[in-house]
């Protein structure tokens, strides 16, 4: 038996980076997976790769009816939902004094409201079936601020507290809820860091393990929290950052490219 045989999972932000790595690991370990993402094209490519164990559903996690439809696809296709990984995220950064209200709203809606809507609808279905496990991908920025990241860091901090609140409310339904806080991960979403050698170097100087993570190195801890090995773990935040939190954050403003 593989670890996630006969489990049904939903993954948001499934078409790239950490979300895609979670999908690939889940399928490799026996699960049937619904992936929600904005990108129809990349979902289709992933479905081509993974076959019948994966279905992509174009989903905007900031739109409640989309999230509801994504969850319904899991129950329609496979009769239930056991696991959920809320990974979709991104940011429109800017210093607080210059940040527009529209950019604040776009970032906080994506990173925080998107997770709220996802947990809400995933948990309704899991509760009806007797339980499940939810993993929300937050960020090291929930604990460590960065310049220009006010909306993102505030939203990610919110994800950590939302996770703890959901863990409290849903424990009696047999649903565990935890968060993962990645540091620097090499994905399409962080290409701007890796494209600027001095910026990349400044980041690495803060990471005791001396390198960024591959997406799979974040997917592994996500799957652990969803697995039976973590059956007594709920409401916690697992920092996956190569030790970065113990050193602090670089000031990259003067480093150019
Ligand atoms: N990469 C890192 O260093 C890092 C560090 C800490 C936290 N994170 C968090 O991890 C998560 C994944 O990051 P990544 O680097 O893999 O990003 P990525 O940009 O490679 O992938 C993000 C995916 O989310 C999708 N997405 C964006 N908005 C969406 C929406 N409204 N609805 C549905 N899907 C949407 C995108 O289409 C994309 O496929 C994010 O929540 C991010 O904040 C990443």
């Amino acid at each position: 038996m593989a670890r996630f045989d006969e489990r049904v999972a939903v993954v948001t932000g499934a078409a790239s980076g950490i979300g895609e790595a979670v999908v690939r690991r889940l399928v490799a370990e026996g699960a049937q997976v619904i992936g929600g993402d904005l990108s129809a094209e990349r979902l289709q490519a992933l479905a081509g790769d993974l076959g019948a164990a994966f279905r992509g559903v174009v989903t905007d996690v900031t739109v409640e009816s989309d999230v509801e439809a994504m969850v319904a696809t899991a129950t329609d296709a496979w009769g239930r939902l056991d696991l959920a990984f809320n990974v979709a995220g991104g940011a429109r950064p800017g210093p607080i004094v210059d940040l527009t209200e529209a950019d604040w709203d776009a970032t906080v809606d994506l990173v925080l409201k998107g997770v709220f809507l996802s947990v809400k609808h995933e948990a309704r279905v899991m509760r009806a079936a007797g339980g499940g496990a939810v993993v929300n991908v937050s960020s090291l920025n929930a604990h460590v601020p960065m310049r220009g990241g006010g909306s993102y860091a505030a939203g990610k901090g919110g994800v950590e507290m939302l996770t703890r609140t959901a863990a409290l409310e849903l424990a009696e339904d047999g649903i565990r809820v935890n968060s993962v806080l990645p540091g620097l991960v090499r994905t399409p979403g962080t290409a701007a860091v890796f494209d600027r050698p001095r910026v990349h170097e400044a980041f690495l100087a803060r990471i005791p393990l001396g390198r960024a993570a591959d997406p799979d190195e974040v997917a592994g801890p996500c799957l652990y929290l969803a697995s039976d090995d973590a059956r007594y773990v709920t409401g916690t935040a697992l920092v996956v950052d190569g030790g970065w939190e113990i050193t602090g954050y670089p000031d990259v403003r003067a480093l150019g490219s």
Side-chain angles (χ1 to χ4, degrees), residues 6-255:
E6 292 169 20
R7 307 280 172 93
V8 178
V10 156
V11 181
T12 73
S16 176
I18 296 167
E20 181 181 342
V22 168
V23 168
R24 289 186 182 279
R25 282 284 289 262
L26 283 168
V27 169
E29 296 197 44
Q32 286 155 315
V33 182
I34 297 292
D37 201 288
L38 289 177
S39 173
E41 197 185 327
R42 279 182 285 123
L43 284 174
Q44 209 171 357
L46 200 53
D49 245 26
L50 295 174
F54 176 80
R55 289 194 196 184
V57 185
V58 175
T59 306
D60 181 342
V61 295
T62 68
V63 176
E64 184 156 18
S65 54
D66 274 22
V67 174
E68 223 174 337
M70 174 187 71
V71 170
T73 307
T75 51
D76 289 350
W78 291 305
R80 56 176 213 282
L81 178 65
D82 306 296
L83 313 172
F85 300 82
N86 299 316
V87 189
R92 289 194 204 165
I96 290 166
V97 292
D98 298 327
L99 194 66
T100 64
E101 190 178 352
D103 283 350
W104 168 275
D105 285 347
T107 301
V108 176
D109 275 5
L110 173 54
V111 302
L112 183 54
K113 188 174 92 170
V115 174
F116 154 63
L117 292 174
S118 300
V119 174
K120 173 179 174 179
H121 290 285
E122 292 154 357
R124 283 183 174 185
V125 171
M126 287 175 181
R127 179 161 63 181
V134 178
V135 178
N136 296 323
V137 173
S138 172
S139 167
L140 179 60
N141 288 128
H143 293 179
V144 182
M146 67 176 166
R147 295 172 193 279
S151 53
Y152 180 78
K156 291 296 193 181
V159 170
E160 191 178 343
M161 186 48 85
L162 178 70
T163 299
R164 297 172 67 181
T165 308
L168 189 64
E169 291 183 359
L170 296 168
E172 67 191 23
D173 297 310
I175 302 172
R176 297 184 299 101
V177 190
N178 291 292
S179 60
V180 168
L181 281 59
L184 180 61
V185 189
R186 190 184 281 271
T187 70
T190 51
V193 172
F194 296 95
D195 290 347
R196 297 162 71 199
R198 293 183 65 201
V199 171
H200 182 202
E201 239 170 68
F203 274 81
L204 293 194
R206 304 288 177 133
I207 301 174
L209 291 186
R211 61 180 179 82
D214 287 328
D216 195 53
E217 292 174 306
V218 178
C222 289
L223 264 65
Y224 155 70
L225 286 171
S227 75
D228 290 343
D229 279 343
R231 61 189 172 275
Y232 200 61
V233 181
T234 196
T236 202
L238 179 55
V239 178
V240 183
D241 70 343
W244 183 357
E245 185 174 15
I246 51 186
T247 62
Y249 218 92
D251 180 352
V252 299
R253 285 178 299 175
L255 293 176

